[in-house]
Amino acid sequence: MTITIAVAGKGGTGKTTFSALLIRYLVDKNKGSIMALDADANANLNEALGLEVDMMISDILAETKDPKSVPTGMTKDMFIDYKMSHAVTETKTVDLLVMGNPQGPGCYCYPNDLLKKHLDSLSQNYDYLVADNEAGLEHISRRTIPNVDYLFVISDASARGIRSAGRVKQLVDSINSPVKNIFLIVTKVTEDGIEALKPEIEKTGLQLIGTIPLDPNVTQYDIESKPLFDLPEDSAAVKAVQEILNQVKL
Ligand SMILES: Nc1ncnc2c1ncn2[C@@H]1O[C@H](COP(=O)(O)OP(=O)(O)OP(=O)(O)O)[C@@H](O)[C@H]1O
Ligand SMILES: [Mg+2]
C-alpha cells in the first residue's frame, strides 16, 4: 500500500523546503520507493531536489489539445496515458511528476481530472507519494490526491500563518476528506520561539508536531539555488525534520 503524504499551508511558509527535506529523510532511512508530486502551478520542488524536468503535465495537455497530435490508432486518452508515463523524471532515489502551469483560463480543471485518473495507477508502484501542494487545498478537496495518510500543514512563525493553517484544518474537516493524520509544523522559528503563538495554535485544533528553526544554511542554499538534498547533515532544518518524522514513524 502506498503511503500518501501531503504538504499544505499558506504561500511562502516553507512547504517546498519541508517536502524536499521529508523526501531526503525517506531516502536516508531507506524507506522505499518514492514518487514526488509537485502539485503547485508555480513548480519548484524539482529545484529543491536538484532535478531537471523535461515535461510537465501541463505540457502534455498543451500538446494534446490539437486532435491532429494524437497518432492514428490511438485514442486521446491512450496518448495522454502514454505521455504521462514519460513525464515522470526518474532518478535512483526518487521519481518526480510535475503539474506545471495552467494553460489559459478554464483549463485547470482538466489537468486535475487527468491527474486524478492517472495518479492512482501511477502511485501504486511506489511505497510513498509525497505531494507538495499549492497554497489552496484544491488537489485534496477535489480528491485528485486520494486517501491522504499524513497531511502536514506548514505555517511560518506568524499569527497569520497559524490562522491560515487553522483554515486548512477547517477545510479538511468540512470536506469530510479522507485525511488520516493531520499535523501542524511551524517553520522559520527564530530565537524568539513560538511561546507567543501558543494561544493561536491552540485555537486551530491542530496538533503541533514540531518546529523547524530559521536555518541560515537553507537561506544560503536558496540564494545559490543549491538542492536541499546537499544540505549538511547537521543543518538545523535537516535535524529538525528528522526529529519530527521520527515521531510520526512514517
Ligand atoms: N527553515 C528555514 N530556514 C530558512 N529559510 C527557510 C526555511 N524554510 C523555508 N525557508 C525559505 O523561505 C522561502 C519560502 O520557502 P518555500 O519555497 O519552501 O515555501 P513554500 O511554502 O513552498 O512557498 P510557495 O507557496 O511559494 O510554494 C524560501 O526562500 C526558503 O528558502
Ligand atoms: Mg512551494
Side-chain angles (χ1 to χ4, degrees):
M1 276 295 275
T2 311
I3 296 176
T4 301
I5 304 168
V7 182
K10 194 166 148 301
T13 47
K15 297 181 293 292
T16 300
T17 302
F18 176 72
S19 301
L21 293 178
L22 186 152
I23 291 166
R24 171 174 166 159
Y25 173 91
L26 294 174
V27 170
D28 287 349
K29 296 266 175 194
N30 264 322
K31 288 281 195 180
S33 54
I34 307 160
M35 154 75 74
L37 172 70
D38 193 337
D40 191 337
N42 187 12
N44 60 2
L45 182 62
N46 65 305
E47 286 165 22
L49 296 173
L51 300 178
E52 293 271 341
V53 173
D54 297 327
M55 203 194 292
M56 302 187 286
I57 293 173
S58 54
D59 296 332
I60 298 173
L61 290 170
E63 197 181 326
T64 50
K65 243 183 191 170
D66 176 7
K68 282 191 224 121
S69 68
V70 180
T72 341
M74 257 189 172
T75 62
K76 185 171 176 178
D77 203 49
M78 277 160 72
F79 187 49
I80 290 175
D81 212 17
Y82 161 81
K83 284 270 175 189
M84 281 278 285
S85 61
H86 285 78
V88 178
T89 305
E90 294 178 353
T91 75
K92 259 193 258 160
T93 49
V94 55
D95 290 357
L96 174 70
L97 190 60
V98 179
M99 281 284 291
N101 292 302
Q103 308 283 321
C107 201
Y108 213 33
C109 314
Y110 192 48
N112 279 331
D113 289 345
L114 245 189
L115 244 192
K116 190 189 294 201
K117 187 159 169 273
H118 296 276
L119 201 59
D120 229 4
S121 59
L122 255 182
S123 62
Q124 274 169 21
N125 305 322
Y126 297 87
D127 297 312
Y128 291 89
L129 171 69
V130 179
D132 177 13
N133 291 273
E134 20 71 276
L137 261 189
E138 219 155 292
H139 297 300
I140 293 171
S141 58
R142 287 175 192 230
R143 310 272 171 107
T144 325
I145 301 167
N147 305 319
V148 176
D149 294 290
Y150 298 96
L151 174 64
F152 291 101
V153 185
I154 311 297
S155 170
D156 53 14
S158 73
R160 271 199 292 163
I162 303 287
R163 283 196 286 274
S164 188
R167 284 193 289 276
V168 171
K169 163 88 163 72
Q170 282 171 4
L171 183 64
V172 169
D173 291 345
S174 73
I175 56 177
N176 210 3
S177 118
V179 174
K180 290 201 193 105
N181 301 283
I182 174 164
F183 296 113
L184 172 68
I185 296 175
V186 181
T187 62
K188 299 194 245 185
V189 176
T190 62
E191 59 214 12
D192 297 340
I194 57 156
E195 211 40 52
L197 291 171
K198 287 273 166 76
E200 282 295 341
I201 293 174
E202 220 149 86
K203 275 191 236 160
T204 64
L206 284 163
Q207 181 190 345
L208 176 69
I209 186 94
T211 61
I212 302 174
L214 185 75
D215 181 343
N217 282 339
V218 173
T219 312
Q220 194 58 31
Y221 273 54
D222 189 55
I223 291 167
E224 293 173 13
S225 298
K226 280 170 42 182
L228 299 173
F229 253 54
D230 301 338
L231 273 176
E233 185 67 26
D234 62 353
S235 255
V238 174
K239 287 205 296 196
V241 170
Q242 276 169 1
E243 264 170 45
I244 290 169
L245 298 177
N246 282 339
Q247 287 179 66
V248 179
K249 299 194 176 63
L250 294 172

